[in-house]
Structures are given as structure tokens and as C-alpha cells.
Amino acid sequence: MLEQIIKASSNEGDMILDPFCGCATTCVAAENTGRQWIGIDVSHKAYDLVKERLDKEIARPDELPHYRQDVHLQARPPKRTDVEADYREEKFVYIISHPNYESEYKVGIAKDVNARLNSYQIGDPERSYSLQYSLKTPRFRETEIHIHKVFPNKHEWVRVNLEDIKRDTRTFSRVVLSS
């Protein structure tokens, strides 16, 4: 259906922007319909997912190097011009749990943790998601990336003891802030 929408609202070669690309569905649909595309997502794991989906769903084996060169990760946000040069916006690194995923925790970034939790609750008829921890820090991106590198994970879900994630989040954020 998304390919139909893209075909009806653009021409081949046009640029398609998905500012919340997540699982890369729009990126894949744009590629399938001969459009250029840009995908943006707050989670660094979306980058891995875009590459994975292009490898599986789009590229022939001889095209894989082409796609791998053209998909780029930029973890630093653009510089703001309306604030002081050393300003860093603060966001929350959050840890959310769900009883169906024992010993797994969703670790992500949000400006408003309650709004993020509510967005998960909307998709869950039992409203079973629960906020376990949040930490407001200007080094939110670096902290999230660190947690996903250190602990076993699948996309944004980390499989480890909750206290270990909380401790590592606090420790890493302090170390990064002091450097």
C-alpha cells in the first residue's frame, strides 16, 4: 500500500523523506519505486535495520556494496544557531519493561518520557508497559549507543538484569559528562 501512495504522490527520481523511519518500510518502498529517499530516526538501531532490510529485500548480491556505501549514519544532530555554541539539549534515556518480555528492556531516548510510555501503551490492549528508569542527560545519544553496544540486544530491546542497565547508564553518562 505504501508503494501505491508513493507512486501516486511522486515521480521516479523524486526524493522521499521519512522523518521517523524506524523499521525502514518507507525507505524500502521508495527504493522499490525508483525514488531517492532519506530516513531519519532517533534510534541508532534504525540504521542497522535499514541496512538489513535493503540487503534482504532490495539488493541483488552484486549490488550490496553499492547499498552499503550509500546508507550513512550520522549520530550527531545538526548544530543549532539560536543558542550558545556549547549548548547541548537534554533528553531522557529511558528503560521500559513489558511482562511478556521477561529480562528484556526497551532502552531508548525521549524528550518526554511519559508521552513515549503512552505511545507504547496505545498499541498494547492491556497497557502493560512500565517505565523502569529514566535519566535526563545532554549525552543521551552516546549513552543509548553505549548501552546497546555493551549488552546483548535485538533492536531497541536489551536482554540483561535491570539493575545492571541502570547502573551502566548512570556510570556512562557521568563519565561522558566529565570528559
Side-chain angles (χ1 to χ4, degrees):
M1 181 164 64
L2 194 51
E3 287 184 16
Q4 301 278 337
I5 293 169
I6 290 172
K7 284 180 182 179
S9 60
S10 65
N11 298 312
E12 275 195 43
D14 282 355
M15 181 67 68
I16 305 297
L17 171 66
D18 185 357
F20 308 100
C21 71
C23 63
T25 302
T26 302
C27 302
V28 169
E31 190 70 33
N32 279 335
T33 58
R35 274 64 171 175
Q36 299 179 64
W37 53 270
I38 297 173
I40 302 169
D41 199 278
V42 69
S43 169
H44 79 281
K45 297 304 258 181
Y47 170 71
D48 295 330
L49 193 52
V50 168
K51 290 192 315 180
E52 182 181 313
R53 297 249 343 246
L54 287 174
D55 284 357
K56 286 182 180 176
E57 298 177 39
I58 301 293
R60 297 186 319 260
D62 61 316
E63 292 177 327
L64 286 177
H66 160 73
Y67 284 108
R68 289 190 181 131
Q69 280 182 329
D70 288 347
V71 177
H72 304 282
L73 170 66
Q74 181 176 334
R76 293 178 185 222
K79 293 274 186 200
R80 291 183 60 171
T81 57
D82 62 333
V83 293
E84 296 174 18
D86 61 348
Y87 170 81
R88 289 232 19 193
E89 178 181 23
E90 290 190 342
K91 290 187 182 181
F92 290 94
V93 176
Y94 64 82
I95 303 171
I96 292 176
S97 67
H98 192 284
N100 291 347
Y101 306 105
E102 191 175 323
S103 298
E104 290 186 20
Y105 301 93
K106 188 165 188 66
V107 177
I109 299 170
K111 189 178 263 187
D112 181 341
V113 177
N114 291 324
R116 181 58 55 96
L117 179 60
N118 287 338
S119 71
Y120 289 119
Q121 301 292 25
I122 289 169
D124 180 14
E126 297 174 14
R127 307 283 194 256
S128 300
Y129 287 94
S130 176
L131 178 65
Q132 296 299 319
Y133 181 75
S134 66
L135 174 71
K136 193 170 190 178
T137 175
R139 306 296 185 192
F140 52 89
R141 173 82 54 226
E142 296 92 334
T143 304
E144 180 201 30
I145 289 171
H146 170 77
I147 295 300
H148 283 99
K149 282 183 179 177
V150 170
F151 297 110
N153 64 79
K154 183 174 183 180
H155 304 300
E156 294 179 355
W157 288 88
V158 176
R159 177 169 279 182
V160 71
N161 177 290
L162 177 60
E163 292 307 313
D164 291 343
I165 304 172
K166 289 164 62 173
R167 183 180 51 253
D168 214 59
T169 299
R170 283 190 301 270
T171 302
F172 184 79
S173 184
R174 273 196 307 265
V175 168
V176 170
L177 286 173
S178 64
S179 57

